[in-house]
């Protein structure tokens, strides 16, 4: 799972940014935020979205190597009123709307961990592969009004490899109520020592094998980031979406021998067909 989910700066033809009358005529999404996908079109029952995304991102946390990757996109969803149960990639969860201004989400996901081979330049040699593990995510978003123009975001991720917390504020643009349009957010991230050392710590055995200095990080402030999301519907079935992230690390993380860049960046674009 990514620490911070996504912002995309896309340069497209002006037509891509024009929201059609068809999109406005659709029923209201669970919440009108581009970052919260809702393929149900406001109807109860099953909904499916399937597509592909292309991401250009850091090879690993703190890396100065970048690469492109093609991944599946979409989800299987089942909606009942203001509740959606979903299976998306390696996450299984639920989200529900309460009092028109509270969105609560709970999910179980899987952290694949870092692999020594993630660095083509051999900068992870001797560090071994990171531990895989399940993660539990609990998120709450609170809108300032029912139009979800401005909102606050709180998130906790905890699992076998430690815990992380995020607090952010966001704004969406446009008047669409179907979950399309633009959205930006700013967030600060905190982690405990176990989560910090998962990606940036070096124990005695790793130090001897890699030649890097032994490093033991404490918990606390991790990073500050900026996020942008975009979603557009071409017609009843086809969507284009984009995301990008910029996350600036704290000085403690930047000083780790593993860290080659004091930031992480990601940009991606994809298409989804909604059945």
């Amino acid at each position: 799972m990514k620490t911070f989910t996504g912002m995309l700066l896309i340069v497209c033809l002006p037509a891509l940014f024009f929201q059609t009358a068809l999109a406005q005529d659709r029923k209201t999404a669970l919440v009108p935020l581009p970052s919260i996908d809702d393929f149900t079109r406001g109807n109860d029952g099953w909904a499916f979205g399937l597509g592909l995304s292309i991401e250009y991102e850091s090879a690993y946390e703190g890396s100065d190597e970048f690469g492109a990757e093609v991944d599946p996109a979409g989800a299987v969803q089942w909606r009942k009123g203001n509740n959606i149960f979903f299976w998306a990639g390696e996450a299984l969860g639920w989200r529900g709307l309460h009092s028109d201004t509270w969105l609560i989400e709970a999910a179980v996901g899987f952290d694949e961990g870092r692999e020594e081979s993630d660095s083509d330049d051999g900068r992870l040699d001797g560090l071994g592969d990171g531990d895989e593990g399940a993660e539990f995510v609990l998120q709450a978003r609170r809108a300032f009004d029912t139009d979800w123009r401005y909102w606050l975001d709180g998130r906790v991720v905890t699992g076998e490899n430690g815990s992380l917390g995020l607090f952010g504020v966001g704004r969406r643009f446009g008047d669409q109520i179907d979950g399309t349009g633009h959205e930006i957010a700013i967030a600060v991230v905190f982690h405990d020592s176990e989560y910090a050392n998962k990606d940036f710590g070096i124990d005695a055995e790793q130090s001897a094998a890699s030649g890097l200095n032994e490093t033991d990080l404490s918990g606390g402030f991790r990073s500050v980031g900026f996020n942008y999301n975009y979603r557009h519907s071409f017609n009843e079935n086809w969507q284009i979406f984009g995301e990008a992230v910029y996350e600036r690390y704290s000085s403690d993380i930047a000083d780790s021998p593993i860290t080659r860049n004091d930031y992480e960046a990601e940009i991606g674009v994809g298409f989804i067909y909604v059945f």
Side-chain angles (χ1 to χ4, degrees):
M1 282 185 158
K2 295 292 184 186
T3 298
F4 194 75
T5 56
M7 148 200 166
L8 170 74
L9 301 176
I10 316 175
V11 179
C12 298
L13 294 175
L16 294 182
F17 295 94
F18 179 74
Q19 304 299 325
T20 65
L22 174 63
Q24 288 285 30
D25 290 341
R26 289 177 179 169
K27 294 184 179 179
T28 307
L30 188 66
V31 289
L33 298 180
S35 58
I36 305 294
D37 52 27
D38 181 355
F39 305 137
T40 67
R41 301 187 179 96
N43 300 314
D44 286 352
W46 291 99
F48 304 88
L50 183 62
L52 290 174
S53 68
I54 301 175
E55 297 178 350
Y56 184 74
E57 61 184 349
S58 305
Y60 57 90
E61 301 279 355
S63 173
D64 60 355
E65 302 170 59
F66 290 83
E69 185 175 78
V70 178
D71 293 312
V76 178
Q77 301 174 341
W78 185 80
R79 180 166 180 171
K80 180 65 175 178
N82 286 332
N83 297 278
I84 291 179
F85 298 87
F86 62 89
W87 173 36
E90 296 176 335
L92 182 67
W94 156 88
R95 63 175 65 107
L97 181 65
H98 300 274
S99 303
D100 294 326
T101 56
W102 278 100
L103 179 71
I104 310 297
E105 180 172 317
V108 177
F110 184 74
D111 180 5
E112 296 180 349
R114 186 186 65 205
E115 296 183 1
E116 192 172 295
S117 60
D118 286 344
S119 173
D120 292 334
D121 296 338
R123 290 175 174 169
L124 298 177
D125 289 355
L127 297 179
D129 294 341
D131 293 333
E132 301 176 342
E135 292 183 331
F136 177 73
V137 182
L138 180 63
Q139 179 177 2
R141 293 196 183 192
R142 172 68 162 87
F144 289 89
D145 206 342
T146 56
D147 64 0
W148 284 82
R149 181 70 59 207
Y150 298 93
W151 43 266
L152 301 175
D153 185 17
R155 190 181 316 163
V156 175
V157 180
T158 185
E160 301 173 61
N161 298 317
S163 299
L164 173 146
L166 176 151
F167 180 77
V169 58
R171 185 188 192 280
R172 78 175 183 97
F173 301 88
D175 298 321
Q176 298 90 337
I177 60 175
D178 61 348
T180 62
H182 306 262
E183 171 192 316
I184 61 171
I186 301 172
V188 291
V189 185
F190 302 86
H191 55 195
D192 63 13
S193 60
E194 185 177 2
Y195 202 99
N197 286 292
K198 173 178 73 75
D199 295 317
F200 303 104
I202 303 171
D203 60 27
E205 183 179 350
Q206 290 173 321
S207 177
S210 67
L212 300 176
N213 292 332
E214 190 172 346
T215 302
D216 184 22
L217 297 173
S218 59
F221 173 63
R222 177 186 177 94
S223 61
V224 59
F226 177 79
N227 167 287
Y228 174 87
N229 276 276
Y230 169 74
R231 190 178 299 271
H232 173 79
S233 294
F234 289 109
N235 52 40
E236 187 71 13
N237 299 105
W238 284 102
Q239 290 184 357
I240 182 175
F241 68 92
E243 59 181 4
V245 168
Y246 178 81
E247 182 182 6
R248 184 81 174 193
Y249 293 133
S250 69
S251 57
D252 287 347
I253 293 178
D255 290 340
S256 168
I258 294 176
T259 306
R260 301 286 177 164
N261 268 339
D262 57 4
Y263 68 90
E264 181 185 0
E266 174 187 344
I267 184 169
V269 63
F271 294 86
I272 289 179
Y273 184 85
V274 180
F275 294 86

